[in-house]
mmCIF file of all heavy atoms in Angstrom:
data_model
loop_
_atom_site.group_PDB
_atom_site.id
_atom_site.type_symbol
_atom_site.label_atom_id
_atom_site.label_comp_id
_atom_site.label_asym_id
_atom_site.label_seq_id
_atom_site.Cartn_x
_atom_site.Cartn_y
_atom_site.Cartn_z
ATOM 1 N N PHE A 357 -10.225 -3.926 23.821
ATOM 2 C CA PHE A 357 -11.468 -3.181 23.634
ATOM 3 C C PHE A 357 -12.277 -3.177 24.922
ATOM 4 O O PHE A 357 -12.875 -2.173 25.302
ATOM 5 C CB PHE A 357 -12.287 -3.787 22.496
ATOM 6 C CG PHE A 357 -13.474 -2.947 22.111
ATOM 7 C CD1 PHE A 357 -13.393 -2.045 21.060
ATOM 8 C CD2 PHE A 357 -14.673 -3.047 22.790
ATOM 9 C CE1 PHE A 357 -14.466 -1.252 20.706
ATOM 10 C CE2 PHE A 357 -15.766 -2.262 22.459
ATOM 11 C CZ PHE A 357 -15.666 -1.372 21.397
ATOM 12 N N LYS A 362 -16.526 3.505 28.964
ATOM 13 C CA LYS A 362 -17.799 3.536 28.251
ATOM 14 C C LYS A 362 -17.803 4.576 27.133
ATOM 15 O O LYS A 362 -18.311 4.319 26.042
ATOM 16 C CB LYS A 362 -18.949 3.811 29.229
ATOM 17 C CG LYS A 362 -20.333 3.782 28.567
ATOM 18 C CD LYS A 362 -21.422 4.029 29.587
ATOM 19 C CE LYS A 362 -22.806 3.922 28.923
ATOM 20 N NZ LYS A 362 -22.976 4.877 27.815
ATOM 21 N N LYS A 365 -15.945 3.224 24.120
ATOM 22 C CA LYS A 365 -16.722 2.170 23.458
ATOM 23 C C LYS A 365 -17.854 2.769 22.638
ATOM 24 O O LYS A 365 -18.106 2.367 21.498
ATOM 25 C CB LYS A 365 -17.282 1.194 24.498
ATOM 26 C CG LYS A 365 -16.256 0.266 25.116
ATOM 27 C CD LYS A 365 -16.923 -0.637 26.141
ATOM 28 C CE LYS A 365 -15.907 -1.536 26.810
ATOM 29 N NZ LYS A 365 -16.515 -2.357 27.875
ATOM 30 N N ASP A 366 -18.544 3.726 23.240
ATOM 31 C CA ASP A 366 -19.644 4.363 22.520
ATOM 32 C C ASP A 366 -19.144 5.098 21.281
ATOM 33 O O ASP A 366 -19.775 5.064 20.227
ATOM 34 C CB ASP A 366 -20.382 5.338 23.437
ATOM 35 C CG ASP A 366 -21.220 4.628 24.497
ATOM 36 O OD1 ASP A 366 -21.504 3.427 24.297
ATOM 37 O OD2 ASP A 366 -21.570 5.264 25.504
ATOM 38 N N MET A 367 -17.988 5.749 21.392
ATOM 39 C CA MET A 367 -17.426 6.450 20.245
ATOM 40 C C MET A 367 -17.033 5.464 19.151
ATOM 41 O O MET A 367 -17.254 5.710 17.961
ATOM 42 C CB MET A 367 -16.205 7.271 20.683
ATOM 43 C CG MET A 367 -15.501 7.997 19.529
ATOM 44 S SD MET A 367 -16.583 9.114 18.605
ATOM 45 C CE MET A 367 -16.796 10.432 19.793
ATOM 46 N N ALA A 368 -16.457 4.329 19.533
ATOM 47 C CA ALA A 368 -16.083 3.318 18.553
ATOM 48 C C ALA A 368 -17.315 2.808 17.811
ATOM 49 O O ALA A 368 -17.303 2.655 16.581
ATOM 50 C CB ALA A 368 -15.367 2.149 19.236
ATOM 51 N N GLY A 369 -18.385 2.554 18.564
ATOM 52 C CA GLY A 369 -19.615 2.101 17.917
ATOM 53 C C GLY A 369 -20.183 3.139 16.975
ATOM 54 O O GLY A 369 -20.637 2.831 15.876
ATOM 55 N N TYR A 370 -20.121 4.401 17.395
ATOM 56 C CA TYR A 370 -20.629 5.496 16.567
ATOM 57 C C TYR A 370 -19.831 5.621 15.269
ATOM 58 O O TYR A 370 -20.391 5.751 14.182
ATOM 59 C CB TYR A 370 -20.551 6.790 17.375
ATOM 60 C CG TYR A 370 -20.719 8.049 16.563
ATOM 61 C CD1 TYR A 370 -21.967 8.426 16.063
ATOM 62 C CD2 TYR A 370 -19.623 8.866 16.293
ATOM 63 C CE1 TYR A 370 -22.115 9.590 15.317
ATOM 64 C CE2 TYR A 370 -19.766 10.029 15.554
ATOM 65 C CZ TYR A 370 -21.010 10.382 15.056
ATOM 66 O OH TYR A 370 -21.150 11.528 14.326
ATOM 67 N N LEU A 371 -18.489 5.560 15.373
ATOM 68 C CA LEU A 371 -17.642 5.724 14.192
ATOM 69 C C LEU A 371 -17.765 4.531 13.253
ATOM 70 O O LEU A 371 -17.808 4.684 12.032
ATOM 71 C CB LEU A 371 -16.191 5.914 14.620
ATOM 72 C CG LEU A 371 -15.898 7.209 15.396
ATOM 73 C CD1 LEU A 371 -14.447 7.231 15.863
ATOM 74 C CD2 LEU A 371 -16.195 8.427 14.535
ATOM 75 N N LEU A 372 -17.840 3.329 13.801
ATOM 76 C CA LEU A 372 -18.036 2.149 12.952
ATOM 77 C C LEU A 372 -19.381 2.223 12.251
ATOM 78 O O LEU A 372 -19.527 1.820 11.103
ATOM 79 C CB LEU A 372 -17.948 0.872 13.798
ATOM 80 C CG LEU A 372 -16.535 0.454 14.215
ATOM 81 C CD1 LEU A 372 -16.602 -0.661 15.248
ATOM 82 C CD2 LEU A 372 -15.734 -0.006 13.010
ATOM 83 N N GLY A 373 -20.365 2.751 12.956
ATOM 84 C CA GLY A 373 -21.675 2.918 12.342
ATOM 85 C C GLY A 373 -21.623 3.858 11.152
ATOM 86 O O GLY A 373 -22.245 3.621 10.122
ATOM 87 N N THR A 378 -24.244 1.549 9.598
ATOM 88 C CA THR A 378 -25.078 0.800 10.519
ATOM 89 C C THR A 378 -25.207 1.579 11.811
ATOM 90 O O THR A 378 -24.311 2.325 12.180
ATOM 91 C CB THR A 378 -24.484 -0.605 10.832
ATOM 92 O OG1 THR A 378 -25.283 -1.210 11.847
ATOM 93 C CG2 THR A 378 -23.051 -0.512 11.313
ATOM 94 N N LYS A 379 -26.317 1.426 12.485
ATOM 95 C CA LYS A 379 -26.528 2.141 13.741
ATOM 96 C C LYS A 379 -26.194 1.273 14.950
ATOM 97 O O LYS A 379 -26.436 1.655 16.080
ATOM 98 C CB LYS A 379 -27.977 2.608 13.821
ATOM 99 C CG LYS A 379 -28.334 3.624 12.735
ATOM 100 C CD LYS A 379 -29.773 4.080 12.833
ATOM 101 C CE LYS A 379 -30.100 5.078 11.742
ATOM 102 N NZ LYS A 379 -31.505 5.526 11.797
ATOM 103 N N ALA A 380 -25.635 0.111 14.713
ATOM 104 C CA ALA A 380 -25.304 -0.777 15.816
ATOM 105 C C ALA A 380 -24.200 -0.186 16.673
ATOM 106 O O ALA A 380 -23.270 0.433 16.169
ATOM 107 C CB ALA A 380 -24.856 -2.139 15.279
ATOM 108 N N SER A 381 -24.297 -0.361 17.964
ATOM 109 C CA SER A 381 -23.262 0.103 18.889
ATOM 110 C C SER A 381 -22.630 -1.118 19.531
ATOM 111 O O SER A 381 -23.311 -1.996 20.040
ATOM 112 C CB SER A 381 -23.868 0.996 19.963
ATOM 113 O OG SER A 381 -22.921 1.249 20.974
ATOM 114 N N LEU A 382 -21.315 -1.181 19.523
ATOM 115 C CA LEU A 382 -20.640 -2.350 20.055
ATOM 116 C C LEU A 382 -20.863 -2.517 21.553
ATOM 117 O O LEU A 382 -20.776 -3.609 22.072
ATOM 118 C CB LEU A 382 -19.134 -2.248 19.770
ATOM 119 C CG LEU A 382 -18.723 -2.426 18.307
ATOM 120 C CD1 LEU A 382 -17.218 -2.248 18.173
ATOM 121 C CD2 LEU A 382 -19.145 -3.780 17.785
ATOM 122 N N SER A 383 -21.122 -1.407 22.232
ATOM 123 C CA SER A 383 -21.283 -1.523 23.685
ATOM 124 C C SER A 383 -22.744 -1.623 24.097
ATOM 125 O O SER A 383 -23.047 -1.789 25.260
ATOM 126 C CB SER A 383 -20.637 -0.317 24.376
ATOM 127 O OG SER A 383 -21.261 0.874 23.949
ATOM 128 N N LYS A 384 -23.651 -1.503 23.171
ATOM 129 C CA LYS A 384 -25.070 -1.513 23.496
ATOM 130 C C LYS A 384 -25.478 -2.848 24.123
ATOM 131 O O LYS A 384 -25.124 -3.916 23.629
ATOM 132 C CB LYS A 384 -25.887 -1.254 22.223
ATOM 133 C CG LYS A 384 -27.376 -1.143 22.478
ATOM 134 C CD LYS A 384 -28.097 -0.832 21.165
ATOM 135 C CE LYS A 384 -29.593 -0.704 21.396
ATOM 136 N NZ LYS A 384 -30.313 -0.435 20.137
ATOM 137 N N ASP A 385 -26.232 -2.757 25.184
ATOM 138 C CA ASP A 385 -26.728 -3.942 25.886
ATOM 139 C C ASP A 385 -25.603 -4.889 26.284
ATOM 140 O O ASP A 385 -25.796 -6.103 26.357
ATOM 141 C CB ASP A 385 -27.728 -4.710 25.000
ATOM 142 C CG ASP A 385 -28.937 -3.870 24.663
ATOM 143 O OD1 ASP A 385 -29.331 -3.043 25.508
ATOM 144 O OD2 ASP A 385 -29.480 -4.026 23.551
ATOM 145 N N LYS A 386 -24.423 -4.350 26.501
ATOM 146 C CA LYS A 386 -23.264 -5.161 26.893
ATOM 147 C C LYS A 386 -23.014 -6.272 25.896
ATOM 148 O O LYS A 386 -22.609 -7.376 26.241
ATOM 149 C CB LYS A 386 -23.460 -5.747 28.292
ATOM 150 C CG LYS A 386 -23.588 -4.675 29.381
ATOM 151 C CD LYS A 386 -23.705 -5.304 30.747
ATOM 152 C CE LYS A 386 -23.803 -4.240 31.832
ATOM 153 N NZ LYS A 386 -23.911 -4.807 33.165
ATOM 154 N N GLY A 387 -23.258 -5.956 24.647
ATOM 155 C CA GLY A 387 -23.091 -6.973 23.611
ATOM 156 C C GLY A 387 -21.686 -7.511 23.529
ATOM 157 O O GLY A 387 -21.470 -8.699 23.387
ATOM 158 N N LEU A 388 -20.686 -6.641 23.652
ATOM 159 C CA LEU A 388 -19.318 -7.090 23.551
ATOM 160 C C LEU A 388 -18.939 -7.953 24.737
ATOM 161 O O LEU A 388 -18.204 -8.922 24.606
ATOM 162 C CB LEU A 388 -18.364 -5.901 23.440
ATOM 163 C CG LEU A 388 -16.915 -6.285 23.140
ATOM 164 C CD1 LEU A 388 -16.845 -6.968 21.793
ATOM 165 C CD2 LEU A 388 -15.997 -5.083 23.167
ATOM 166 N N SER A 426 -29.297 -7.698 17.357
ATOM 167 C CA SER A 426 -28.566 -6.438 17.279
ATOM 168 C C SER A 426 -27.118 -6.565 17.728
ATOM 169 O O SER A 426 -26.330 -5.669 17.538
ATOM 170 C CB SER A 426 -29.252 -5.367 18.134
ATOM 171 O OG SER A 426 -29.262 -5.773 19.494
ATOM 172 N N ILE A 427 -26.773 -7.710 18.327
ATOM 173 C CA ILE A 427 -25.411 -7.877 18.820
ATOM 174 C C ILE A 427 -24.547 -8.493 17.728
ATOM 175 O O ILE A 427 -24.952 -9.414 17.029
ATOM 176 C CB ILE A 427 -25.394 -8.787 20.070
ATOM 177 C CG1 ILE A 427 -26.311 -8.202 21.132
ATOM 178 C CG2 ILE A 427 -23.978 -8.931 20.588
ATOM 179 C CD1 ILE A 427 -25.967 -6.780 21.534
ATOM 180 N N ILE A 428 -23.330 -7.980 17.602
ATOM 181 C CA ILE A 428 -22.421 -8.470 16.569
ATOM 182 C C ILE A 428 -21.870 -9.826 16.963
ATOM 183 O O ILE A 428 -21.379 -10.012 18.071
ATOM 184 C CB ILE A 428 -21.272 -7.470 16.363
ATOM 185 C CG1 ILE A 428 -21.851 -6.157 15.820
ATOM 186 C CG2 ILE A 428 -20.224 -8.022 15.410
ATOM 187 C CD1 ILE A 428 -20.827 -5.056 15.724
#
Side-chain angles (χ1 to χ4, degrees):
F357 189 95
K362 183 179 183 301
K365 287 179 182 176
D366 288 341
M367 177 57 72
Y370 166 73
L371 294 175
L372 284 170
T378 174
K379 296 180 180 179
S381 170
L382 289 178
S383 61
K384 184 178 180 181
D385 298 327
K386 298 183 179 180
L388 188 63
S426 62
I427 303 303
I428 295 174

